[in-house]
Amino acid sequence: MLAPKRMSRLLIAASRDQMAPVVAELYRHNLFHIEEFVEAGAEGYEGFKIGTPLSGASEASVDLVKIRAIENSASIQGDDIDSAKTCTRVELQSRIERELPVLEKEVEDLTIRRSKLETRVKENEQKIAEITPFLTVPVDLDLYRGYSGFGVFAGYVAHEVTLSVPCEMSYSPGKEKNFIVIVAPVGQRNEVERALQDAAFQSVQIPEESGAPQVRIDYYSADISAMKSEIAEIHQKLDDVRMKHSGFLVACEEYLRAEVEQTEAPLRFATTKQTFVAEGWVPTENVDAVTDALVKVTNGKIYVTVLPIDFEHDNVPVEYNNPSFSKPTQVLIDVFNRPRYTEIDPTLMVSIVFPIFFGLILGDVGYGLILLVMAFGLRKFFKGDEGRHLLDVLRNASISTIIFGLLYSEFLGFPIPGLKPIMFSRHLMAEAAEEGGAVAGHGPMIPELMVLSIWIGILHISLGRILGMINHARQDHGEHRTKAVMANFGWLAVMWGILIAIWSIAALPLMPNLTGLPKIISVVNVGGIIGAVLIVAGIVFIARDSLLEVVEIPTIISHVLSYARIVAVGLSSVAIAMVVNFIAIGMFIEPQLKNFTIFSIFIIIAGLVIFLLGHALNTALGILGGGLHSIRLHYVEFFTKFYKGGGVKYIPFGMKRRFTED
Amino acid sequence: MAAELVAAVGGMTVEQINASQMGMKALGAGIAVGLTGIGTGIAEMGIGSAAVGAVAENKDMFGLALLFTVIPETIVIFGLVVGLLVLFL
């Protein structure tokens, strides 16, 4: 919680003949993040060389390439298939030897045949395109060729051409271009060409065909449709392959991937002629288990030790350590950047605050229910981890939306009958609420809502600054450490100084009123003096760390005001919902219900369509607005105060097996 | 009574004056949101295209790119806040 999993740096040394069992054991545990060995300049590793792959590496990778090619042509993706452990290792091995070559041949033949057919379809389409202009000329295609005394000109012209020389001409005006065919004696060639040039002549190649153009086109079209049906048949067959073998193929891929990764692992180790050394990271809680397992599998012929961590130079891999409730939110943190090992991991805070912001912005029971249904309904289509996590985030956000919807008393933009807004009302039309009678008329309480959002901003940013102080205290050293911590304190002091100064001058709703404090000089009272002192002290602290940062002081105000988007974006979604309701119900449905005729049915249906489309649009905008703005408040306003990120992802050597057994 | 008289002299009733004041407020709010929206759009134009380019080169940039792209959004939020204050305060 609030910090990544603790890691220990493990060094494993053993003789080379123990390499295979050690690699297999490490792979099975799926815990060891290998620190790759680099030959050049590795301290303390003089004379070591990068290892060579274990036996069977090349065979396995050749098979893996084949499997991936088959999966590609049959468009099989492991992520789309529910995990099922069906095959054991031995079974798979024998099946790979037996079935893979046959399957490969089958799929390869199909894809080759398909690409040949596709090329021929293209060729035929090209031929049809070539013949099509000649459809308008009632002459067989072979009559265009084979003259020695005549020249044939075919092509497009901008306007009709009149020739003074004896010739045969066919002119067919078209919508965009006019097609012309001229047969003239060879001797008159120059004159014909000149006349054509004046009419912006674009030559068209005469197709190497014989017979009437329409007949040829029909012939090629028939050919194309025959080939297309054959292609469809091939697709059907590939689909059959997918239906029949997808389980086997993904299992094979997983098995072979594991094989390849294991046999190629020595490429990441340091080796001598007789021994090998592997360095890497293991979560501290698992060190004993891994060490014991390695000792056991090698009968004690191994040396495993925990090395001290050097935070200056080591790049400790980072694995989240969060309660299951916050796990989905890790996706949002990864989008920004993974925390560094020494840094505070903000996932838990984001997982709590993000849904609250989302709920405050969208705050509508109707939309909340729609999103909740979506979050569960879309699970069928997202089988990967990341998609599922995003849906979980959406689920949490939608639950919070429903809760805030109840507090605001909103359902698709309508006030919920009989339920007064417990929180400040966002209903834009006070009159409408009064007419309904159920909800006491209260227009939008804009000042209160605005101040509430400002409060959220103040508290959120203060939390960020305090975390910033903790982070700097942890990560920095010496004089810089004190200065950086004090600078963060300075930012806090300036912000609260400005606030106290404002409170001492003006009374604001929902904020402490300090205007009554004893006055000192004219309008300035004790509060004003305290505020001014805080501001000045804060600026001094900031300047001591970095003078340039002083320029950034106005961002205190802009960042706090930026939280006003919680209200602003929320109100805009309420406004859209109300406009949709007014157009659909107030303008289309209600007047028709009062004077009902047969024709009204259509207008009522139109009203319903507007209602559905409008609310669908507003739901989409709600996800975008609510989600993007809440996450932006975290990324821009909150994280910039304390969070840098840039940690190395913890990628343990091994895999989560989905289709095969160990 | 006096106000009504003055208003009547000006050729407008009190309701008319109130309505036109409301209209002016609405106009002001609309201008505030509209102009800041244009401002944000112009500001995000350059950042956005550069950000998309950076993400195309390196997907890890996405978080940072998004962050940079949405920074000018604050401008339109200010507009929206001003609009709301003009309309409802």
Side-chain angles (χ1 to χ4, degrees), chain A residues 335-337 428 444 446-447 450 557-559 561-565 567-569 571-572 628-629 631-632 635-637 640, chain B residues 44 59-78 80-82 84-85 87-89:
Chain A
V335 166
F336 187 82
N337 233 331
L428 289 176
I446 302 289
M450 209 65 100
I557 293 164
S558 71
H559 279 187
L561 280 184
S562 183
Y563 282 78
R565 72 183 66 224
V567 175
V569 177
L571 276 177
S572 67
L628 222 51
H629 284 280
I631 200 62
R632 174 226 137 94
Y635 285 170
V636 182
E637 271 79 17
T640 47
Chain B
E44 282 188 358
K59 274 198 173 163
D60 293 341
M61 290 288 291
F62 180 77
L64 211 59
L66 184 71
L67 199 156
F68 286 143
T69 312
V70 298
I71 282 175
E73 233 174 52
T74 317
I75 307 170
V76 74
I77 297 294
F78 288 160
L80 211 55
V81 170
V82 168
L84 287 172
L85 290 177
L87 273 184
F88 293 102
L89 269 191

Side-chain angles (χ1 to χ4, degrees), chain A residues 507-521:
Chain A
L508 296 170
L510 299 180
M511 290 215 170
N513 182 0
L514 302 182
T515 47
L517 290 179
K519 291 218 164 32
I520 295 184
I521 322 159

Side-chain angles (χ1 to χ4, degrees), chain A residues 552-631:
Chain A
E552 297 281 322
I553 283 174
T555 60
I556 291 178
I557 293 164
S558 71
H559 279 187
V560 171
L561 280 184
S562 183
Y563 282 78
R565 72 183 66 224
I566 292 177
V567 175
V569 177
L571 276 177
S572 67
S573 102
V574 176
I576 294 173
M578 282 185 37
V579 168
V580 169
N581 290 341
F582 180 71
I583 294 177
I585 295 172
M587 285 165 70
F588 277 75
I589 296 175
E590 256 178 8
Q592 295 305 320
L593 285 179
K594 275 179 194 156
N595 312 308
F596 194 80
T597 57
I598 297 294
F599 187 61
S600 316
I601 294 174
F602 298 105
I603 296 183
I604 288 174
I605 290 173
L608 285 176
V609 170
I610 291 175
F611 187 80
L612 287 178
L613 280 182
H615 282 297
L617 172 80
N618 204 17
T619 312
L621 282 176
I623 300 177
L624 263 182
L628 222 51
H629 284 280
S630 328
I631 200 62

Side-chain angles (χ1 to χ4, degrees), chain A residues 36-107:
Chain A
E36 228 145 289
F37 171 68
V38 188
E39 243 175 46
E43 239 175 83
Y45 279 99
E46 288 82 10
F48 280 84
K49 283 207 157 58
I50 288 176
T52 44
L54 298 171
S55 63
S58 55
E59 291 85 353
S61 33
V62 168
D63 280 347
L64 185 59
V65 169
K66 278 183 201 163
I67 296 243
R68 286 196 175 143
I70 296 173
E71 285 185 335
N72 224 346
S73 0
S75 49
I76 298 171
Q77 277 186 330
D79 282 347
D80 301 340
I81 295 165
D82 286 319
S83 58
K85 294 188 179 171
T86 43
C87 317
T88 61
R89 206 187 153 104
V90 185
E91 236 175 67
L92 261 183
Q93 236 163 356
S94 66
R95 276 187 75 182
I96 287 176
E97 274 169 32
R98 223 166 353 108
E99 290 178 30
L100 188 59
V102 183
L103 196 60
E104 191 203 358
K105 179 99 180 45
E106 188 186 337
V107 172

